[in-house]
Amino acid sequence: MTEHSISRRRLLGTATATGVAGLAAGAASGAIGHAAASTPAGPALNTLGSATVPFHGTRQPGITTPLQSRAHLVAFDLVPDAGRRGAAALLRRWSTLAAELMAGRPDEAGTGIADDAGPASLTVTFGFGHSFFDATGLVERRPAALAPLPAFSNDALDASRSEGDLWVQVGADDPLVAFGALRALRRAAAGTADVRWQMAGFSRSPGATARPMSVRNLMGQVDGTNNPSPDDPDFDERIFVPAGGEPAWMAHGSYAVVRRIRMLLDDWEELPGEERERVLGRRRSDGAPLTGGDETTPVDLAATHPDGQPVIAGNAHVRVSAPESNGGATMLRRSFSYHDGALEDGAPDAGLLFVCWQADPLRSFVTVQRKLDRGDALSTFVRHESSGLFAVPGGAAEGEYVGQALLES
Amino acid sequence: MTEHSISRRRLLGTATATGVAGLAAGAASGAIGHAAASTPAGPALNTLGSATVPFHGTRQPGITTPLQSRAHLVAFDLVPDAGRRGAAALLRRWSTLAAELMAGRPDEAGTGIADDAGPASLTVTFGFGHSFFDATGLVERRPAALAPLPAFSNDALDASRSEGDLWVQVGADDPLVAFGALRALRRAAAGTADVRWQMAGFSRSPGATARPMSVRNLMGQVDGTNNPSPDDPDFDERIFVPAGGEPAWMAHGSYAVVRRIRMLLDDWEELPGEERERVLGRRRSDGAPLTGGDETTPVDLAATHPDGQPVIAGNAHVRVSAPESNGGATMLRRSFSYHDGALEDGAPDAGLLFVCWQADPLRSFVTVQRKLDRGDALSTFVRHESSGLFAVPGGAAEGEYVGQALLES
């Protein structure tokens, strides 16, 4: 045990001590440290394994952190007698555990699944659902922004895979590290909260592409192109609840909308390539708008063909979802793909674990989804199968835990 | 389309032309080429994306190829009227497709899921099940080695997820590349063969650990330690059917046993660490035998404690499965972990997609599994849920397809 702890510390010591190289897209709590352990006596981890994301900070990790290649989204319900006290103790245990695992320190209670590997950019993010406030007797502290999302005509939601008292997002660049964290978090919840639903997702492996910012989804689309950037002057106010915002315990927090969106890939793949591009309004090859340029070129919604027809069709996804079409509504999309084998009819059970972040879900997600629901050509090829809305509070300082301002003040 | 093909060729040209750096564990068809594309005009792929494994060769890829981080195992059944001719045409289409995808050339019929990424060490491996020979009227060519495996007392096999006419193993170091290949292979089979079952697996991400040869499974065990090495003098004869072996069309081929082995992780993780180590006969921390040394130190099965008790228990997994305990039986294990969420009772649906390779399954897998079935302390914690045995013929030369010697001679 001691021998093991020491060798682990030696292995990871350099990484955690010196890992501070900021990443453009990282911002605030999302900064990633890359450093190879170089103690001559120990084996060296390379950058993938040794990359660490700090747990403690003003904001929680896993929001502006670059997308990892593996994710687990899990909702828990509190057991009937857990109450506010049980929930507080659980969040304290979870915060301690997340800080340890994210720093690459082994889970002594666990099986060692993640041993030998570094934290591999592990992040753990905690959120509260609408029902959490009933279960803990804190109804008067429930944010207005957690009001249930409206029903959309294209929804086919499975309630057993929707919502939940607590939501945990786990991301890592190694599947065993992610699985080990999931097991540890579940074990730490035993007796206080049971798993309500869980979903596993994935994205590009680091280094698989020379264009790491352009992640493709399972339809082959370049995804996340028009995401707001932490460099945008209004990024913070659109994505995060400000200090002094309402409620006070949500300062530096954000609201996550989580939707399991199944893709009807058999139908989609039968469409000729040009029709797929017309549905989206973007080129398949590089994600550039059909009005020209490259992926980052703004879409020219006004452009017309010589015959007067718009280049970007009236129901093209890129037009209907554009901020210009939605009063400037914007959200930070940070989605993973999923593939859970086949449905009974042989169709792939695969699609997008859509996760988006915003300061105000009514103004952002709901505004855009209402528009998409009415007139998006892409909606023929997708089914929203589950939905969740979670209040994700700000990050915890050292010695504190996530949600402490809600549960103890 | 043309523009796109050109840019892809530019992107990958350098990698496929110069990627010839051999890898110690690679051997024969498993050699991997690493080379970053460096044409100044195009973006550079790094080594993960640009790593290619050749499709053509004496042996099929995916046997001695280093384990990738993502895998799909899929069985297909031929449609009733496919016959030998339909099967031959399918194997020709599949071979052409696999060669293209593994070289990093885009699937023009596909959605472009893998575009931007290189092949990321993609491998596609094809095998024939017992029933393939009935379906194609080739019963007299069925290898004796494909005789059904005996029943084991610890089996709880689901026939619908076992066996199958055809077996395809897809591996890649990027999940989107692997998924894209799976979709393309399924599309190419349409009208000739339907998916019988499919399973998705994973292993360590490259670079996650400084000990890449020691992969842990979901029990936290270092797995694959005593695997035979391509450097062993008897490696070829134990793992591959020799030229001149029986049947002739299996020259340079191998037999794959595929078992979905669910792990009872809730029970396993409740065991104290020392008991887990006793069940295995190895240390959790580094995989060294309990008789001392490091992971590569041979197990001393004769060692005793001062009280005369053996250090390695009589039912320890490492003793029961040791070649010394099985008349020298050996096989190349190349397994992936799986995690498909939770079962109805909340227990994890997770474990090992056990894949092992050998020239003679009766002498190798069956010998060892009979022993494990009778006396392995680990068997309390695992359930064999599905089983398949497949004849994996030698590799295809340029212009030929896998299985041609069986289907056309």
Side-chain angles (χ1 to χ4, degrees):
Chain A
M1 186 88 97
T2 312
E3 173 206 32
H4 180 236
S5 307
I6 288 171
S7 71
R8 284 281 302 181
R9 225 175 294 132
R10 192 180 62 214
L11 194 66
L12 295 165
T14 318
T16 47
T18 69
V20 291
L23 207 82
S29 64
I32 283 206
H34 282 286
S38 56
T39 317
L45 287 175
N46 84 5
T47 46
L48 186 139
S50 63
T52 57
V53 181
F55 175 73
H56 296 109
T58 310
R59 295 171 183 165
Q60 287 196 63
I63 304 174
T64 56
T65 311
L67 212 57
Q68 299 101 328
S69 65
R70 190 84 180 182
H72 296 284
L73 309 183
V74 195
F76 291 83
D77 283 337
L78 291 168
V79 300
D81 60 350
R84 178 176 172 174
R85 185 172 298 213
L90 173 58
L91 267 298
R92 185 178 286 281
R93 285 198 301 280
W94 269 353
S95 296
T96 303
L97 179 64
E100 293 290 298
L101 296 173
M102 285 175 56
R105 287 185 285 269
D107 170 28
E108 293 297 346
T111 57
I113 293 167
D115 286 6
D116 305 332
S121 301
L122 176 68
T123 58
V124 183
T125 317
F126 302 104
F128 302 116
H130 187 273
S131 57
F132 178 83
F133 299 85
D134 300 295
T136 52
L138 291 169
V139 174
E140 79 285 352
R141 295 197 182 178
R142 180 157 50 207
L146 272 191
L149 298 174
F152 300 103
S153 67
N154 201 31
D155 284 355
L157 303 184
D158 175 353
S160 70
R161 292 199 290 184
S162 296
E163 309 296 352
D165 292 349
L166 290 153
W167 177 65
V168 183
Q169 173 191 253
V170 174
D173 276 331
D174 178 76
L176 295 176
V177 168
F179 183 83
L182 178 67
R183 293 293 297 165
L185 289 159
R186 187 170 176 269
R187 213 161 39 239
T192 304
D194 296 321
V195 172
R196 178 182 173 87
W197 53 258
Q198 59 179 311
M199 301 172 188
F202 56 90
S203 187
R204 277 268 185 267
S205 294
T209 164
R211 301 169 59 194
M213 289 316 175
S214 307
V215 173
R216 285 184 194 263
N217 62 33
L218 298 187
M219 284 178 158
Q221 294 169 260
V222 175
D223 206 316
T225 297
N226 256 338
N227 248 345
S229 157
D231 297 333
D232 297 344
D234 58 355
F235 180 81
D236 283 4
E237 89 188 56
R238 287 177 181 275
I239 310 303
F240 292 97
V241 176
E246 270 300 311
W249 64 266
M250 271 296 286
H252 308 297
S254 184
Y255 292 91
V257 174
V258 181
R259 311 274 286 188
R260 183 182 169 100
I261 305 179
R262 183 160 59 87
M263 296 171 167
L264 309 186
L265 291 176
D266 289 340
D267 298 344
W268 177 252
E269 290 172 11
E270 267 179 27
L271 270 197
E274 313 83 73
E275 283 189 47
R276 284 184 225 150
E277 293 187 337
R278 213 171 304 137
V279 165
L280 295 169
R282 289 186 178 278
R283 280 207 303 254
R284 160 193 140 165
S285 58
D286 59 1
L290 294 182
T291 47
D294 61 25
E295 185 193 337
T296 59
T297 307
V299 186
D300 180 0
L301 295 175
T304 52
H305 289 299
D307 66 1
Q309 291 296 308
V311 177
I312 307 290
N315 63 354
H317 183 71
V318 73
R319 179 187 293 277
V320 184
S321 62
E324 302 89 298
S325 309
N326 294 281
T330 188
M331 51 203 171
L332 179 67
R333 288 160 292 147
R334 192 175 185 280
S335 307
F336 298 89
S337 291
Y338 75 90
H339 173 219
D340 293 336
L343 300 172
E344 276 188 21
D345 65 358
D349 189 7
L352 197 66
L353 300 180
F354 174 87
V355 182
C356 74
W357 299 90
Q358 57 255 296
D360 180 352
L362 196 62
R363 192 176 153 208
S364 297
F365 173 78
V366 172
T367 302
V368 176
Q369 188 55 31
R370 275 211 174 106
K371 196 106 178 183
L372 290 172
D373 194 46
R374 278 195 300 264
D376 178 18
L378 195 57
S379 62
T380 316
F381 300 95
V382 298
R383 294 286 178 277
H384 287 241
E385 295 192 332
S386 79
S387 179
L389 170 59
F390 302 98
V392 173
E398 295 255 10
E400 298 184 350
Y401 64 89
V402 172
Q404 188 160 351
L406 165 65
L407 290 159
E408 292 194 10
S409 64
Chain B
M1 187 90 95
T2 312
E3 172 205 32
H4 180 234
S5 307
I6 289 171
S7 69
R8 284 283 299 182
R9 226 175 295 133
R10 192 181 60 214
L11 194 64
L12 295 165
T14 318
T16 47
T18 67
V20 289
L23 207 81
S29 62
I32 282 206
H34 281 285
S38 55
T39 317
L45 286 176
N46 84 2
T47 47
L48 187 139
S50 62
T52 58
V53 180
F55 175 74
H56 297 109
T58 310
R59 295 171 183 166
Q60 287 196 62
I63 304 174
T64 56
T65 311
L67 212 58
Q68 300 101 328
S69 65
R70 190 84 181 182
H72 296 283
L73 308 183
V74 196
F76 291 83
D77 283 338
L78 292 167
V79 301
D81 61 348
R84 177 174 172 173
R85 182 171 300 217
L90 173 59
L91 267 298
R92 185 179 285 284
R93 286 199 300 280
W94 269 353
S95 296
T96 304
L97 180 64
E100 292 290 297
L101 296 175
M102 285 176 56
R105 287 185 285 271
D107 170 30
E108 293 296 347
T111 57
I113 293 167
D115 285 7
D116 306 330
S121 301
L122 176 69
T123 58
V124 184
T125 318
F126 302 105
F128 302 118
H130 187 273
S131 57
F132 178 83
F133 298 84
D134 301 294
T136 52
L138 291 169
V139 173
E140 78 287 352
R141 296 196 181 179
R142 181 157 49 206
L146 272 191
L149 298 175
F152 300 103
S153 68
N154 201 30
D155 284 356
L157 303 184
D158 175 355
S160 70
R161 293 199 291 184
S162 296
E163 309 297 350
D165 291 350
L166 291 153
W167 178 65
V168 183
Q169 173 191 253
V170 174
D173 275 330
D174 177 78
L176 294 175
V177 168
F179 183 83
L182 178 68
R183 292 295 297 168
L185 290 159
R186 188 170 177 270
R187 214 160 38 237
T192 305
D194 296 322
V195 172
R196 178 181 171 86
W197 53 257
Q198 59 180 310
M199 301 172 189
F202 57 89
S203 188
R204 277 268 184 265
S205 293
T209 164
R211 302 169 59 194
M213 290 314 175
S214 306
V215 172
R216 286 184 193 264
N217 62 33
L218 299 188
M219 283 178 159
Q221 293 169 261
V222 175
D223 206 316
T225 298
N226 256 340
N227 248 346
S229 157
D231 298 331
D232 297 344
D234 57 356
F235 180 83
D236 283 4
E237 89 188 55
R238 287 176 180 276
I239 310 303
F240 291 98
V241 176
E246 271 298 311
W249 63 266
M250 271 295 287
H252 309 297
S254 185
Y255 291 91
V257 174
V258 182
R259 310 275 285 189
R260 182 181 169 100
I261 305 178
R262 183 159 60 85
M263 295 171 167
L264 310 187
L265 291 178
D266 289 339
D267 298 343
W268 177 252
E269 291 173 9
E270 266 178 29
L271 270 197
E274 312 85 70
E275 284 188 46
R276 284 183 226 152
E277 294 188 337
R278 214 173 300 138
V279 165
L280 296 167
R282 288 187 179 278
R283 279 207 302 253
R284 161 194 141 165
S285 58
D286 60 0
L290 294 183
T291 48
D294 62 23
E295 184 192 337
T296 59
T297 307
V299 186
D300 181 0
L301 295 176
T304 53
H305 288 297
D307 64 0
Q309 291 297 308
V311 176
I312 307 290
N315 63 355
H317 182 72
V318 73
R319 178 187 295 276
V320 185
S321 62
E324 301 90 300
S325 309
N326 294 282
T330 188
M331 51 201 172
L332 180 67
R333 288 160 291 148
R334 193 176 184 278
S335 308
F336 298 90
S337 291
Y338 75 89
H339 173 220
D340 293 336
L343 300 172
E344 275 187 20
D345 64 359
D349 189 6
L352 198 68
L353 300 180
F354 175 88
V355 182
C356 75
W357 299 90
Q358 59 255 296
D360 180 351
L362 196 62
R363 192 176 152 210
S364 297
F365 173 78
V366 172
T367 302
V368 175
Q369 188 55 31
R370 276 211 173 105
K371 195 103 176 185
L372 290 173
D373 194 47
R374 278 196 300 265
D376 178 17
L378 195 59
S379 62
T380 316
F381 300 96
V382 298
R383 294 287 177 277
H384 288 240
E385 295 192 333
S386 81
S387 179
L389 170 60
F390 303 98
V392 173
E398 294 257 9
E400 298 185 349
Y401 64 89
V402 172
Q404 190 160 350
L406 165 66
L407 290 159
E408 293 193 12
S409 65

